[in-house]
Amino acid sequence: TISGSDVSISTPSFFLGNETNNISSSNNDLFITTKNLTASGSNVDIQTPSFFLGSATSNISSSANDLSITTKNLTASGSSISILTPKI
């Protein structure tokens, strides 16, 4: 048991948890594996040059300054919606 208000563990790689729920790190990468993840706060900032949210048939992704929305049906609503593109 490790306890206290100032505990520091220094290691280049680690694994905490089990096969389905864990946090691990190696080679300067951090992995979080779980069924549900909640990131909450008054200022949550995720910065990445590319991302993928969803499944193969319904997703939002971005890479190389492009944004892609893949879905069967798309609804956009609001008081002012503009779609600006040189080609449709």
PDB file of all heavy atoms in Angstrom, residues 21-50:
ATOM      1  N   ASN A  21      -9.754  -2.669 -18.634  1.00  0.00           N
ATOM      2  CA  ASN A  21      -9.749  -1.347 -18.016  1.00  0.00           C
ATOM      3  C   ASN A  21      -8.345  -1.057 -17.504  1.00  0.00           C
ATOM      4  O   ASN A  21      -7.939  -1.583 -16.468  1.00  0.00           O
ATOM      5  CB  ASN A  21     -10.741  -1.276 -16.846  1.00  0.00           C
ATOM      6  CG  ASN A  21     -12.170  -1.345 -17.311  1.00  0.00           C
ATOM      7  OD1 ASN A  21     -12.645  -0.413 -17.943  1.00  0.00           O
ATOM      8  ND2 ASN A  21     -12.841  -2.434 -17.011  1.00  0.00           N
ATOM      9  N   ASN A  22      -7.601  -0.205 -18.237  1.00  0.00           N
ATOM     10  CA  ASN A  22      -6.240   0.050 -17.813  1.00  0.00           C
ATOM     11  C   ASN A  22      -5.713   1.381 -18.313  1.00  0.00           C
ATOM     12  O   ASN A  22      -6.266   1.995 -19.216  1.00  0.00           O
ATOM     13  CB  ASN A  22      -5.314  -1.080 -18.273  1.00  0.00           C
ATOM     14  CG  ASN A  22      -5.266  -1.203 -19.782  1.00  0.00           C
ATOM     15  OD1 ASN A  22      -4.728  -0.343 -20.455  1.00  0.00           O
ATOM     16  ND2 ASN A  22      -5.836  -2.283 -20.315  1.00  0.00           N
ATOM     17  N   ILE A  23      -4.651   1.802 -17.685  1.00  0.00           N
ATOM     18  CA  ILE A  23      -3.844   2.942 -18.116  1.00  0.00           C
ATOM     19  C   ILE A  23      -2.428   2.411 -18.228  1.00  0.00           C
ATOM     20  O   ILE A  23      -1.924   1.765 -17.307  1.00  0.00           O
ATOM     21  CB  ILE A  23      -3.907   4.102 -17.109  1.00  0.00           C
ATOM     22  CG1 ILE A  23      -5.333   4.617 -16.960  1.00  0.00           C
ATOM     23  CG2 ILE A  23      -2.977   5.231 -17.530  1.00  0.00           C
ATOM     24  CD1 ILE A  23      -5.493   5.682 -15.893  1.00  0.00           C
ATOM     25  N   SER A  24      -1.775   2.661 -19.368  1.00  0.00           N
ATOM     26  CA  SER A  24      -0.413   2.178 -19.544  1.00  0.00           C
ATOM     27  C   SER A  24       0.397   3.200 -20.327  1.00  0.00           C
ATOM     28  O   SER A  24      -0.149   4.083 -20.990  1.00  0.00           O
ATOM     29  CB  SER A  24      -0.397   0.827 -20.259  1.00  0.00           C
ATOM     30  OG  SER A  24      -0.927   0.957 -21.566  1.00  0.00           O
ATOM     31  N   SER A  25       1.706   3.062 -20.239  1.00  0.00           N
ATOM     32  CA  SER A  25       2.596   3.965 -20.952  1.00  0.00           C
ATOM     33  C   SER A  25       3.879   3.239 -21.312  1.00  0.00           C
ATOM     34  O   SER A  25       4.382   2.429 -20.543  1.00  0.00           O
ATOM     35  CB  SER A  25       2.923   5.177 -20.087  1.00  0.00           C
ATOM     36  OG  SER A  25       3.824   6.033 -20.753  1.00  0.00           O
ATOM     37  N   SER A  26       4.360   3.524 -22.529  1.00  0.00           N
ATOM     38  CA  SER A  26       5.672   3.066 -22.963  1.00  0.00           C
ATOM     39  C   SER A  26       6.081   3.871 -24.187  1.00  0.00           C
ATOM     40  O   SER A  26       5.217   4.357 -24.932  1.00  0.00           O
ATOM     41  CB  SER A  26       5.668   1.568 -23.290  1.00  0.00           C
ATOM     42  OG  SER A  26       4.851   1.307 -24.404  1.00  0.00           O
ATOM     43  N   ASN A  27       7.356   4.052 -24.378  1.00  0.00           N
ATOM     44  CA  ASN A  27       7.884   4.783 -25.543  1.00  0.00           C
ATOM     45  C   ASN A  27       7.234   6.152 -25.734  1.00  0.00           C
ATOM     46  O   ASN A  27       6.868   6.530 -26.841  1.00  0.00           O
ATOM     47  CB  ASN A  27       7.738   3.949 -26.822  1.00  0.00           C
ATOM     48  CG  ASN A  27       8.476   2.642 -26.748  1.00  0.00           C
ATOM     49  OD1 ASN A  27       9.574   2.585 -26.225  1.00  0.00           O
ATOM     50  ND2 ASN A  27       7.866   1.578 -27.248  1.00  0.00           N
ATOM     51  N   ASN A  28       7.035   6.884 -24.656  1.00  0.00           N
ATOM     52  CA  ASN A  28       6.450   8.238 -24.669  1.00  0.00           C
ATOM     53  C   ASN A  28       4.993   8.279 -25.135  1.00  0.00           C
ATOM     54  O   ASN A  28       4.501   9.319 -25.552  1.00  0.00           O
ATOM     55  CB  ASN A  28       7.287   9.190 -25.525  1.00  0.00           C
ATOM     56  CG  ASN A  28       8.659   9.425 -24.954  1.00  0.00           C
ATOM     57  OD1 ASN A  28       8.806   9.523 -23.739  1.00  0.00           O
ATOM     58  ND2 ASN A  28       9.658   9.504 -25.800  1.00  0.00           N
ATOM     59  N   ASP A  29       4.275   7.149 -25.115  1.00  0.00           N
ATOM     60  CA  ASP A  29       2.856   7.099 -25.452  1.00  0.00           C
ATOM     61  C   ASP A  29       2.049   6.747 -24.209  1.00  0.00           C
ATOM     62  O   ASP A  29       2.497   5.967 -23.370  1.00  0.00           O
ATOM     63  CB  ASP A  29       2.584   6.048 -26.538  1.00  0.00           C
ATOM     64  CG  ASP A  29       3.173   6.433 -27.884  1.00  0.00           C
ATOM     65  OD1 ASP A  29       3.181   7.636 -28.196  1.00  0.00           O
ATOM     66  OD2 ASP A  29       3.610   5.530 -28.613  1.00  0.00           O
ATOM     67  N   LEU A  30       0.852   7.312 -24.096  1.00  0.00           N
ATOM     68  CA  LEU A  30      -0.058   7.005 -22.993  1.00  0.00           C
ATOM     69  C   LEU A  30      -1.299   6.353 -23.580  1.00  0.00           C
ATOM     70  O   LEU A  30      -1.877   6.857 -24.543  1.00  0.00           O
ATOM     71  CB  LEU A  30      -0.459   8.272 -22.235  1.00  0.00           C
ATOM     72  CG  LEU A  30      -1.446   8.085 -21.090  1.00  0.00           C
ATOM     73  CD1 LEU A  30      -0.792   7.302 -19.953  1.00  0.00           C
ATOM     74  CD2 LEU A  30      -1.945   9.426 -20.578  1.00  0.00           C
ATOM     75  N   PHE A  31      -1.702   5.220 -23.017  1.00  0.00           N
ATOM     76  CA  PHE A  31      -2.879   4.483 -23.484  1.00  0.00           C
ATOM     77  C   PHE A  31      -3.887   4.377 -22.360  1.00  0.00           C
ATOM     78  O   PHE A  31      -3.534   4.059 -21.229  1.00  0.00           O
ATOM     79  CB  PHE A  31      -2.487   3.072 -23.938  1.00  0.00           C
ATOM     80  CG  PHE A  31      -1.474   3.055 -25.044  1.00  0.00           C
ATOM     81  CD1 PHE A  31      -0.128   2.936 -24.761  1.00  0.00           C
ATOM     82  CD2 PHE A  31      -1.869   3.172 -26.362  1.00  0.00           C
ATOM     83  CE1 PHE A  31       0.816   2.940 -25.770  1.00  0.00           C
ATOM     84  CE2 PHE A  31      -0.932   3.171 -27.376  1.00  0.00           C
ATOM     85  CZ  PHE A  31       0.415   3.057 -27.086  1.00  0.00           C
ATOM     86  N   ILE A  32      -5.163   4.634 -22.665  1.00  0.00           N
ATOM     87  CA  ILE A  32      -6.267   4.449 -21.728  1.00  0.00           C
ATOM     88  C   ILE A  32      -7.258   3.528 -22.412  1.00  0.00           C
ATOM     89  O   ILE A  32      -7.770   3.845 -23.480  1.00  0.00           O
ATOM     90  CB  ILE A  32      -6.948   5.776 -21.359  1.00  0.00           C
ATOM     91  CG1 ILE A  32      -5.939   6.734 -20.714  1.00  0.00           C
ATOM     92  CG2 ILE A  32      -8.138   5.529 -20.439  1.00  0.00           C
ATOM     93  CD1 ILE A  32      -6.476   8.126 -20.478  1.00  0.00           C
ATOM     94  N   THR A  33      -7.514   2.361 -21.811  1.00  0.00           N
ATOM     95  CA  THR A  33      -8.448   1.388 -22.372  1.00  0.00           C
ATOM     96  C   THR A  33      -9.569   1.188 -21.372  1.00  0.00           C
ATOM     97  O   THR A  33      -9.333   0.812 -20.225  1.00  0.00           O
ATOM     98  CB  THR A  33      -7.743   0.043 -22.637  1.00  0.00           C
ATOM     99  OG1 THR A  33      -6.648   0.267 -23.510  1.00  0.00           O
ATOM    100  CG2 THR A  33      -8.697  -0.958 -23.262  1.00  0.00           C
ATOM    101  N   THR A  34     -10.804   1.452 -21.781  1.00  0.00           N
ATOM    102  CA  THR A  34     -11.963   1.298 -20.900  1.00  0.00           C
ATOM    103  C   THR A  34     -13.245   1.316 -21.731  1.00  0.00           C
ATOM    104  O   THR A  34     -13.236   1.738 -22.887  1.00  0.00           O
ATOM    105  CB  THR A  34     -12.002   2.416 -19.840  1.00  0.00           C
ATOM    106  OG1 THR A  34     -13.050   2.158 -18.910  1.00  0.00           O
ATOM    107  CG2 THR A  34     -12.225   3.784 -20.478  1.00  0.00           C
ATOM    108  N   LYS A  35     -14.330   0.862 -21.156  1.00  0.00           N
ATOM    109  CA  LYS A  35     -15.625   0.877 -21.839  1.00  0.00           C
ATOM    110  C   LYS A  35     -16.174   2.298 -21.908  1.00  0.00           C
ATOM    111  O   LYS A  35     -16.671   2.736 -22.945  1.00  0.00           O
ATOM    112  CB  LYS A  35     -16.609  -0.045 -21.121  1.00  0.00           C
ATOM    113  CG  LYS A  35     -17.964  -0.117 -21.792  1.00  0.00           C
ATOM    114  CD  LYS A  35     -18.898  -1.060 -21.062  1.00  0.00           C
ATOM    115  CE  LYS A  35     -20.263  -1.074 -21.716  1.00  0.00           C
ATOM    116  NZ  LYS A  35     -21.203  -1.934 -20.990  1.00  0.00           N
ATOM    117  N   ASN A  36     -16.100   3.039 -20.818  1.00  0.00           N
ATOM    118  CA  ASN A  36     -16.601   4.415 -20.756  1.00  0.00           C
ATOM    119  C   ASN A  36     -15.531   5.313 -20.157  1.00  0.00           C
ATOM    120  O   ASN A  36     -14.914   4.959 -19.160  1.00  0.00           O
ATOM    121  CB  ASN A  36     -17.858   4.508 -19.887  1.00  0.00           C
ATOM    122  CG  ASN A  36     -19.000   3.712 -20.448  1.00  0.00           C
ATOM    123  OD1 ASN A  36     -19.455   3.972 -21.552  1.00  0.00           O
ATOM    124  ND2 ASN A  36     -19.460   2.724 -19.717  1.00  0.00           N
ATOM    125  N   LEU A  37     -15.324   6.481 -20.761  1.00  0.00           N
ATOM    126  CA  LEU A  37     -14.347   7.440 -20.269  1.00  0.00           C
ATOM    127  C   LEU A  37     -15.002   8.801 -20.173  1.00  0.00           C
ATOM    128  O   LEU A  37     -15.632   9.260 -21.127  1.00  0.00           O
ATOM    129  CB  LEU A  37     -13.137   7.517 -21.216  1.00  0.00           C
ATOM    130  CG  LEU A  37     -12.087   8.568 -20.887  1.00  0.00           C
ATOM    131  CD1 LEU A  37     -11.364   8.206 -19.593  1.00  0.00           C
ATOM    132  CD2 LEU A  37     -11.097   8.690 -22.023  1.00  0.00           C
ATOM    133  N   THR A  38     -14.868   9.448 -19.033  1.00  0.00           N
ATOM    134  CA  THR A  38     -15.397  10.783 -18.845  1.00  0.00           C
ATOM    135  C   THR A  38     -14.237  11.728 -18.549  1.00  0.00           C
ATOM    136  O   THR A  38     -13.476  11.491 -17.617  1.00  0.00           O
ATOM    137  CB  THR A  38     -16.392  10.840 -17.673  1.00  0.00           C
ATOM    138  OG1 THR A  38     -17.467   9.941 -17.940  1.00  0.00           O
ATOM    139  CG2 THR A  38     -16.937  12.239 -17.470  1.00  0.00           C
ATOM    140  N   ALA A  39     -14.095  12.749 -19.374  1.00  0.00           N
ATOM    141  CA  ALA A  39     -13.133  13.820 -19.122  1.00  0.00           C
ATOM    142  C   ALA A  39     -13.963  15.052 -18.799  1.00  0.00           C
ATOM    143  O   ALA A  39     -14.723  15.531 -19.634  1.00  0.00           O
ATOM    144  CB  ALA A  39     -12.246  14.052 -20.331  1.00  0.00           C
ATOM    145  N   SER A  40     -13.849  15.539 -17.598  1.00  0.00           N
ATOM    146  CA  SER A  40     -14.722  16.611 -17.141  1.00  0.00           C
ATOM    147  C   SER A  40     -13.896  17.738 -16.534  1.00  0.00           C
ATOM    148  O   SER A  40     -12.858  17.498 -15.922  1.00  0.00           O
ATOM    149  CB  SER A  40     -15.690  16.047 -16.092  1.00  0.00           C
ATOM    150  OG  SER A  40     -16.451  17.068 -15.526  1.00  0.00           O
ATOM    151  N   GLY A  41     -14.354  18.954 -16.718  1.00  0.00           N
ATOM    152  CA  GLY A  41     -13.677  20.094 -16.126  1.00  0.00           C
ATOM    153  C   GLY A  41     -14.165  21.379 -16.743  1.00  0.00           C
ATOM    154  O   GLY A  41     -14.857  21.372 -17.753  1.00  0.00           O
ATOM    155  N   SER A  42     -13.778  22.484 -16.147  1.00  0.00           N
ATOM    156  CA  SER A  42     -14.196  23.774 -16.685  1.00  0.00           C
ATOM    157  C   SER A  42     -13.366  24.166 -17.898  1.00  0.00           C
ATOM    158  O   SER A  42     -13.743  25.061 -18.647  1.00  0.00           O
ATOM    159  CB  SER A  42     -14.082  24.852 -15.606  1.00  0.00           C
ATOM    160  OG  SER A  42     -12.742  24.925 -15.139  1.00  0.00           O
ATOM    161  N   ASN A  43     -12.232  23.470 -18.106  1.00  0.00           N
ATOM    162  CA  ASN A  43     -11.401  23.760 -19.269  1.00  0.00           C
ATOM    163  C   ASN A  43     -10.690  22.479 -19.696  1.00  0.00           C
ATOM    164  O   ASN A  43      -9.605  22.176 -19.216  1.00  0.00           O
ATOM    165  CB  ASN A  43     -10.385  24.859 -18.936  1.00  0.00           C
ATOM    166  CG  ASN A  43      -9.591  25.295 -20.137  1.00  0.00           C
ATOM    167  OD1 ASN A  43      -9.944  24.991 -21.267  1.00  0.00           O
ATOM    168  ND2 ASN A  43      -8.500  25.992 -19.914  1.00  0.00           N
ATOM    169  N   VAL A  44     -11.311  21.699 -20.598  1.00  0.00           N
ATOM    170  CA  VAL A  44     -10.714  20.478 -21.131  1.00  0.00           C
ATOM    171  C   VAL A  44     -10.268  20.776 -22.549  1.00  0.00           C
ATOM    172  O   VAL A  44     -11.072  21.124 -23.400  1.00  0.00           O
ATOM    173  CB  VAL A  44     -11.711  19.288 -21.104  1.00  0.00           C
ATOM    174  CG1 VAL A  44     -11.094  18.057 -21.729  1.00  0.00           C
ATOM    175  CG2 VAL A  44     -12.166  19.001 -19.678  1.00  0.00           C
ATOM    176  N   ASP A  45      -8.979  20.654 -22.799  1.00  0.00           N
ATOM    177  CA  ASP A  45      -8.396  21.010 -24.092  1.00  0.00           C
ATOM    178  C   ASP A  45      -7.662  19.792 -24.639  1.00  0.00           C
ATOM    179  O   ASP A  45      -6.715  19.308 -24.026  1.00  0.00           O
ATOM    180  CB  ASP A  45      -7.433  22.180 -23.903  1.00  0.00           C
ATOM    181  CG  ASP A  45      -6.911  22.749 -25.208  1.00  0.00           C
ATOM    182  OD1 ASP A  45      -7.352  22.305 -26.280  1.00  0.00           O
ATOM    183  OD2 ASP A  45      -6.056  23.635 -25.148  1.00  0.00           O
ATOM    184  N   ILE A  46      -8.112  19.281 -25.791  1.00  0.00           N
ATOM    185  CA  ILE A  46      -7.464  18.149 -26.443  1.00  0.00           C
ATOM    186  C   ILE A  46      -6.893  18.662 -27.755  1.00  0.00           C
ATOM    187  O   ILE A  46      -7.636  19.113 -28.626  1.00  0.00           O
ATOM    188  CB  ILE A  46      -8.455  16.985 -26.691  1.00  0.00           C
ATOM    189  CG1 ILE A  46      -9.032  16.496 -25.358  1.00  0.00           C
ATOM    190  CG2 ILE A  46      -7.768  15.855 -27.435  1.00  0.00           C
ATOM    191  CD1 ILE A  46     -10.143  15.482 -25.504  1.00  0.00           C
ATOM    192  N   GLN A  47      -5.577  18.597 -27.899  1.00  0.00           N
ATOM    193  CA  GLN A  47      -4.919  19.107 -29.103  1.00  0.00           C
ATOM    194  C   GLN A  47      -4.267  17.957 -29.845  1.00  0.00           C
ATOM    195  O   GLN A  47      -3.485  17.206 -29.274  1.00  0.00           O
ATOM    196  CB  GLN A  47      -3.864  20.139 -28.724  1.00  0.00           C
ATOM    197  CG  GLN A  47      -4.439  21.345 -28.033  1.00  0.00           C
ATOM    198  CD  GLN A  47      -3.367  22.368 -27.693  1.00  0.00           C
ATOM    199  OE1 GLN A  47      -2.237  22.284 -28.162  1.00  0.00           O
ATOM    200  NE2 GLN A  47      -3.732  23.350 -26.887  1.00  0.00           N
ATOM    201  N   THR A  48      -4.622  17.801 -31.115  1.00  0.00           N
ATOM    202  CA  THR A  48      -4.059  16.743 -31.945  1.00  0.00           C
ATOM    203  C   THR A  48      -4.171  17.120 -33.413  1.00  0.00           C
ATOM    204  O   THR A  48      -5.141  17.786 -33.809  1.00  0.00           O
ATOM    205  CB  THR A  48      -4.774  15.400 -31.677  1.00  0.00           C
ATOM    206  OG1 THR A  48      -4.176  14.380 -32.460  1.00  0.00           O
ATOM    207  CG2 THR A  48      -6.253  15.482 -31.987  1.00  0.00           C
ATOM    208  N   PRO A  49      -3.213  16.747 -34.249  1.00  0.00           N
ATOM    209  CA  PRO A  49      -3.309  17.070 -35.674  1.00  0.00           C
ATOM    210  C   PRO A  49      -4.319  16.204 -36.422  1.00  0.00           C
ATOM    211  O   PRO A  49      -4.759  16.555 -37.500  1.00  0.00           O
ATOM    212  CB  PRO A  49      -1.897  16.820 -36.204  1.00  0.00           C
ATOM    213  CG  PRO A  49      -1.320  15.849 -35.242  1.00  0.00           C
ATOM    214  CD  PRO A  49      -1.939  16.132 -33.905  1.00  0.00           C
ATOM    215  N   SER A  50      -4.709  15.064 -35.839  1.00  0.00           N
ATOM    216  CA  SER A  50      -5.722  14.217 -36.475  1.00  0.00           C
ATOM    217  C   SER A  50      -6.525  13.503 -35.398  1.00  0.00           C
ATOM    218  O   SER A  50      -6.043  13.287 -34.295  1.00  0.00           O
ATOM    219  CB  SER A  50      -5.074  13.196 -37.411  1.00  0.00           C
ATOM    220  OG  SER A  50      -4.227  12.340 -36.687  1.00  0.00           O
TER     221      SER A  50
END
